[in-house]
Amino acid sequence: MSLNSLFDPNKDFDKNFIVEILDKARKSSKDSITLFDEFIDTIENDEIKRRFLIKRLGKIFININFIGYLVDSGIHVEEGLFSIFRKRITDFILPEIEDNNELTSLVNEVFYENKRYEALRLIPRDRWDRFFKIILNDFSEEQEKKKAQNIRYSLMQSMIILTDRIVGGFSEKDMMRYSSEVNYLDNPFSKLAMQINRIVDKPDLPFDHLEIKESIANCRKLLNDILTQKDYKGISFGVASKINVLQQRLGRLQLVINSFNDLKHNGLIGFYTNATKTWVEFYSPKNWLSNQLTSTLYLITFLVTYHNGKTGEKYITTTAKEYVRMFWTACGGGLIVAFLCFFKTWLGNIPNASMFFKGFTFSINYAIGFTTIYLLHWTLATKQPSMTAARIASSLVTKSGSEVNVKNFTTLFAQLCRSQLIAFFGNVIAGFSVAMLIFVFLDKVLGMEVIKYSKAYHYWEEVVIMDPQIFYYGGIAGIFLFISGLVSGMTINNQRFYNIPDRVYHHPVLKRFFGIEKRKKIAGWVERNNGGVVGNIIFGFLMGFAFIVGEILGIPFDIRHITFAAGNFAIGIGGMDYHFTDKGAIVIGFISIFGIGLCNFIVSFLLSLILAFKSNNLPFYKIFPMTMHIIRAFFRNPLPFFIPPLWTKSKEEA
């Protein structure tokens, strides 16, 4: 493709000159590096074209201000997800155009199409070095000195702005809570500020680049130390987001100092070469939103998984004694659900009831039942596997943090599988049996009409014919299980951050009526159970209102849970007065019920595992080799995936 059109003196390109170059690279059959080589050869061999290029670039960059670009571009904002989406959509429809002298404005316009960005970032450093040597080969010493002074002045301003924002952010009220032992007159942030101020005050004097690098590393370490305090102090999303932004600003400050050092020791050519390669990475229009969302998701997972991991240990059985206990607690959960099935059936038969009334009463029924199961320390199969997923993901990383502990993962996964399996059996056996006994008592002893035949037949038919829709609904319930685990973890974290137990203990109303010991018990109960209760209530309301979404949108949207399916199956059999010809249908019905449970568990567990991987900064592709390892372990010895070693009495033996 001919490059002569780029050097047409009759065209007034302005910023579009750079756009024209990048568009030619994008449309050319050659790669951008080859085309750039041709471009360099053209200006090197043709003095007229070289001077034309200098004139055009000078017109664009002569008064360019890059301070705003250095201190803001690519650094995540401390805003909510809705604000981020709104801003991004607005900027996409109407690209933000700032002062024409701002580098940010130029970059927004040039990189509006992401392919231009990709074409530019592919060009290697040595090509840029050659390009700038050709452009600047006849610069006088005076011109170079003047230009270097202007750039240096802007770099120093950028350093000061970033430093002020970093030190100011670290000194905010919420951050001081985690740094009570830090001496504000002598800490890494104060030292870093003094070092930057010395550079700005006397820019011509040499400075210790390694010393500043060490100070930035110490600042990062202090921020990481604050994050570790979440385990006992809790941490708000705002503080976690603030730390994330401070880490990014520290990284940006290091790059600005590197550019300042390049200018000081390598001159304009070295500065331009390194800045062009480094600074372009600050801006990526295609990845900005995904990076922001990824960062936000990481913060959320970071806040949740530790607390869920601790709570989730009770959902994993290691010894034979724990395995048997899990069965009996699951039977207790099935007993409660059997009653919930009858209450829900009766609530659904209330004549002329509105959808909202049904949804609300269903939700209350679910919420009371789930909370009761939780407070009695019984088990609902598949409940909050996000907690166990967090426990598993935390076991993946070795002490060095560089490898994945596949063996540990496989052992824990086997423990989890057998724990969920025995919980399935306990819930289904108890749920089905108790529901059948209640039906017989109400129908045969009290003579009540428990359910209409048409509704009973529906309960029976959907599992007997293995309607695919029930497994889809089981997946939706799995999503709700995941959300409830998320809410539970966030509640526990916020409880610690806002000192809820202490506030309860010191509440003036409680002080009036209760003594110290009683208030300690109340505060302790809140601390132990608040997260679980809130998570179960949320789960109940999600389950109760689910059908309304389907009714309003006209789409198949509802929930199915293994334990409720077992209870409803028993009610369906009783409601049909036990009249069915194919006895094998019962077997098919139970297979469908366990299929629903599998969907509940798989969907919830996979979502939770992704969350937990994200919280540990582990790439999800590593799940595939681990899956193969699990499959091999299963075929070598499948028994631990179903029952624990029967001779073990302690977790260490298991």
Side-chain angles (χ1 to χ4, degrees), residues 317-318 320 323 414 417-419 421-422 638-646:
T317 62
T318 53
Y323 189 73
C417 285
R418 67 189 183 224
S419 304
L421 181 64
I422 197 63
L639 202 59
F641 288 81
F642 299 103
I643 59 173
L646 299 178

Side-chain angles (χ1 to χ4, degrees), residues 48-275:
I48 295 175
K49 290 179 179 177
R50 187 183 78 88
R51 292 194 174 278
F52 176 86
L53 178 64
I54 292 172
K55 181 180 177 182
R56 289 299 181 193
L57 293 179
K59 187 176 179 181
I60 297 171
F61 289 102
I62 187 67
N63 293 316
I64 201 79
N65 182 358
F66 54 76
I67 297 172
Y69 181 76
L70 289 183
V71 300
D72 291 321
S73 287
I75 294 178
H76 296 156
V77 294
E78 299 175 55
E79 295 181 9
L81 288 180
F82 290 109
S83 299
I84 294 168
F85 272 114
R86 186 178 65 249
K87 183 179 187 305
R88 196 59 184 161
I89 291 170
T90 303
D91 289 350
F92 179 79
I93 298 172
L94 293 172
E96 183 180 8
I97 301 297
E98 302 177 11
D99 184 343
N100 281 333
N101 290 328
E102 288 285 339
L103 182 59
T104 304
S105 175
L106 174 64
V107 169
N108 283 338
E109 188 171 336
V110 171
F111 289 156
Y112 181 69
E113 290 190 20
N114 190 59
K115 290 181 179 178
R116 296 174 189 157
Y117 166 79
E118 294 297 336
L120 189 67
R121 69 190 296 269
L122 287 175
I123 299 171
R125 196 179 302 271
D126 62 317
R127 299 318 199 276
W128 287 116
D129 184 68
R130 183 186 170 205
F131 173 76
F132 286 116
K133 282 179 180 177
I134 294 169
I135 294 293
L136 302 175
N137 71 346
D138 58 353
F139 254 45
S140 66
E141 186 177 337
E142 186 64 29
Q143 285 177 307
E144 188 170 336
K145 185 177 179 181
K146 183 178 179 181
K147 188 66 179 174
Q149 283 179 339
N150 292 336
I151 294 172
R152 185 173 68 173
Y153 183 67
S154 295
L155 288 173
M156 288 191 297
Q157 288 188 74
S158 302
M159 289 158 58
I160 286 293
I161 292 171
L162 284 168
T163 304
D164 286 348
R165 290 181 180 179
I166 290 167
V167 176
F170 178 73
S171 304
E172 288 183 1
K173 178 182 177 181
D174 286 342
M175 297 292 291
M176 291 179 70
R177 177 182 180 213
Y178 298 92
S179 48
S180 56
E181 298 178 2
V182 174
N183 182 354
Y184 274 81
L185 296 175
D186 183 25
N187 66 75
F189 287 90
S190 301
K191 289 180 180 178
L192 178 63
M194 288 188 288
Q195 289 166 347
I196 298 300
N197 286 330
R198 280 200 298 267
I199 294 174
V200 172
D201 290 341
K202 299 177 180 179
D204 294 321
L205 295 180
F207 64 92
D208 192 336
H209 191 251
L210 290 177
E211 184 183 28
I212 293 178
K213 191 173 182 179
E214 183 181 356
S215 294
I216 291 176
N218 289 336
C219 291
R220 288 180 178 275
K221 183 178 181 299
L222 183 55
L223 292 176
N224 289 331
D225 289 343
I226 290 174
L227 288 178
T228 61
Q229 296 180 46
K230 73 182 177 71
D231 298 346
Y232 54 92
K233 285 188 178 180
I235 190 168
S236 72
F237 180 83
V239 170
S241 180
K242 170 70 71 178
I243 291 174
N244 184 45
V245 171
L246 288 176
Q247 294 277 22
Q248 289 183 316
R249 285 175 177 161
L250 285 166
R252 182 62 53 83
L253 178 61
Q254 180 66 70
L255 292 174
V256 173
I257 293 170
N258 292 345
S259 294
F260 184 83
N261 202 44
D262 282 333
L263 183 65
K264 193 179 186 72
H265 295 99
N266 301 322
L268 278 180
I269 293 174
F271 166 78
Y272 281 136
T273 299
N274 292 325

